[in-house]
Amino acid sequence: MSQTSTNQAAIKEIHLAHTQGFCAGVSSAIETVERALAKFGSPIYVRHEIVHNTAVISDFEKRGVVFIDDLTEIPEEATVIFSAHGVAPSVYQEAKERNLRYIDATCPLVTKVHREAIGFSKKDIQTILIGHKGHQELIGTSGYVNPELLYVIEDEADIDALNLDESKPIGYLTQTTLSVSETSKLIEKLRAKYPDIVAPPKEDICYATQNRQDSVLDLAEDCDVIIICGSPNSSNSNRLRETAAAKGIASYIIDTVEQFDPAVLIGKERVGVSSGASVPSYIVDEVVQKIYSLYPDAEIKRKDSIEKKFTFPIPKF
Ligand code: SF4
């Protein structure tokens, strides 16, 4: 007996988010590892997960890529790639000292925030860095700020606890993959506390994060349940699930199709599917196929993407 016939309501529509999946930074980082493997053979070392996706990591591991947390795990003169999330200046220094051949796959939009951080510190600006404590990108960006001027905040309680010298300049920067709406609220609160606070020269939340959250907001208009494909440690994927939840839509994040629980569709009629910026499209295809196999009468719908496809340059090596 099919799922359809056992429930009063059944899935009639499967909506695909119009803008989802790999961003330019992730495509470039993955291509960098591919080219390094082709040129140097295995093992290739990558400091931290090249992008936060379990399937991508496991595929590379099978092909001889070794993911490490610390450069001391690598033999002298080995080849190491730095992940899309960026690294602190001390990591480049350490790589040089250990005679490692390093290839930098930092996303250019993360590098832009690094440059802003350097600029703030040169001007002695007390720098409030908004982001998720412990996230690789935040750790890397923190390294570009004079430690005496650095204040990392994550939530409103952290803002309440700030006690900065208001006779000196104060500015803020953000991680690239935050929730657009939550970050706006934090910035509003910062402005209320420090009216002269300096904003980054250009928005730090990246185009891909913004577009994917806008796309989920659009999906929320059409759906009564939303499935987000993304790994548990993927910041931008988690923000997509939260974006849907903030609209009152039942929403779930799954790493692979095996984690998809069809029970979440019971009593629903319109399901939306999206994915984070580090998720290969085949995972979304598998989830859609799974739903379609349970509800073969459902109509699959997708609007045109709002994002023009473009690429970032691959580092030369
Ligand atoms: S999510 Fe944004 S900052 Fe991160 S890799 Fe993609 S484009 Fe770059």
Side-chain angles (χ1 to χ4, degrees):
M1 192 179 285
S2 78
Q3 194 93 20
T4 314
S5 58
T6 56
N7 303 303
Q8 282 182 324
I11 295 296
K12 295 188 174 76
E13 295 173 1
I14 304 169
H15 292 258
L16 282 155
H18 53 68
T19 306
Q20 56 170 297
F22 281 3
C23 60
V26 163
S27 298
S28 161
I30 290 175
E31 182 61 19
T32 301
V33 180
E34 292 286 2
R35 290 191 192 182
L37 261 179
K39 182 163 180 174
F40 304 117
S42 64
I44 287 287
Y45 296 91
V46 177
R47 186 184 178 277
H48 193 65
E49 294 186 352
I50 185 74
V51 298
H52 285 156
N53 185 267
T54 314
V56 171
I57 298 305
S58 127
D59 174 58
F60 275 137
E61 279 175 337
K62 284 183 202 138
R63 294 160 58 204
V65 177
V66 181
F67 293 92
I68 49 110
D69 292 323
D70 198 293
L71 295 187
T72 54
E73 297 168 50
I74 309 178
E76 295 257 339
E77 296 177 15
T79 300
V80 61
I81 300 173
F82 297 152
S83 79
H85 314 96
V87 296
S90 56
V91 178
Y92 296 105
Q93 187 56 36
E94 190 185 351
K96 282 180 197 151
E97 284 165 9
R98 302 212 48 238
N99 294 320
L100 302 173
R101 180 199 285 127
Y102 69 83
I103 300 165
D104 190 2
T106 303
C107 174
L109 300 183
V110 175
T111 304
K112 174 186 83 68
V113 184
H114 294 171
R115 276 196 235 104
E116 291 167 352
I118 293 168
F120 273 18
S121 285
K122 271 190 187 154
K123 293 181 190 155
D124 268 338
I125 297 175
Q126 299 169 91
T127 303
I128 301 168
L129 184 54
I130 308 172
H132 297 290
K133 293 171 185 170
H135 188 279
Q136 283 303 314
E137 183 189 325
L138 200 81
I139 294 169
T141 303
S142 298
Y144 293 86
V145 182
N146 175 344
E148 289 173 14
L149 299 171
L150 176 65
Y151 302 86
V152 175
I153 66 146
E154 194 164 66
D155 53 28
E156 299 204 15
D158 289 340
I159 297 178
D160 291 333
L162 282 175
N163 186 17
L164 273 59
D165 181 349
E166 293 186 55
S167 69
K168 293 184 180 154
I170 299 170
Y172 73 85
L173 300 172
T174 82
Q175 194 176 320
T176 57
T177 50
L178 300 181
S179 153
V180 174
S181 64
E182 288 305 312
T183 306
S184 303
K185 280 186 215 153
L186 293 178
I187 292 170
E188 224 171 273
K189 192 172 166 87
L190 281 171
R191 279 195 202 291
K193 186 162 180 170
Y194 303 115
D196 295 331
I197 195 164
V198 180
K202 270 185 98 181
E203 174 65 61
D204 288 338
I205 294 181
C206 76
Y207 82 96
T209 300
Q210 171 88 58
N211 288 347
R212 279 150 191 72
Q213 287 175 25
D214 287 349
S215 181
V216 165
L217 286 174
D218 206 39
L219 210 55
E221 299 291 319
D222 295 325
C223 301
D224 45 17
V225 56
I226 290 181
I227 311 295
I228 302 292
C229 301
S231 293
N233 60 344
S234 163
S235 174
N236 82 86
S237 303
N238 281 289
R239 302 298 80 78
L240 295 183
R241 193 205 65 74
E242 289 167 10
T243 300
K247 283 281 163 189
I249 310 292
S251 51
Y252 305 88
I253 186 163
I254 55 169
D255 210 351
T256 61
V257 69
E258 286 74 31
Q259 290 180 359
F260 172 66
D261 178 4
V264 303
L265 304 184
I266 292 173
K268 309 290 186 189
E269 295 190 344
R270 296 165 304 152
V271 56
V273 183
S274 190
S275 58
S278 46
V279 180
S281 58
Y282 77 84
I283 293 181
V284 175
D285 293 344
E286 286 173 355
V287 171
V288 171
Q289 266 318 110
K290 176 81 187 170
I291 298 171
Y292 191 66
S293 70
L294 296 167
Y295 300 97
D297 295 332
E299 191 183 347
I300 299 176
K301 296 180 168 220
R302 181 172 200 168
K303 297 175 191 162
D304 288 341
S305 174
I306 56 171
E307 198 167 273
K308 286 206 176 71
K309 284 279 167 228
F310 67 95
T311 52
F312 289 140
I314 309 293
K316 289 197 171 46
F317 52 88

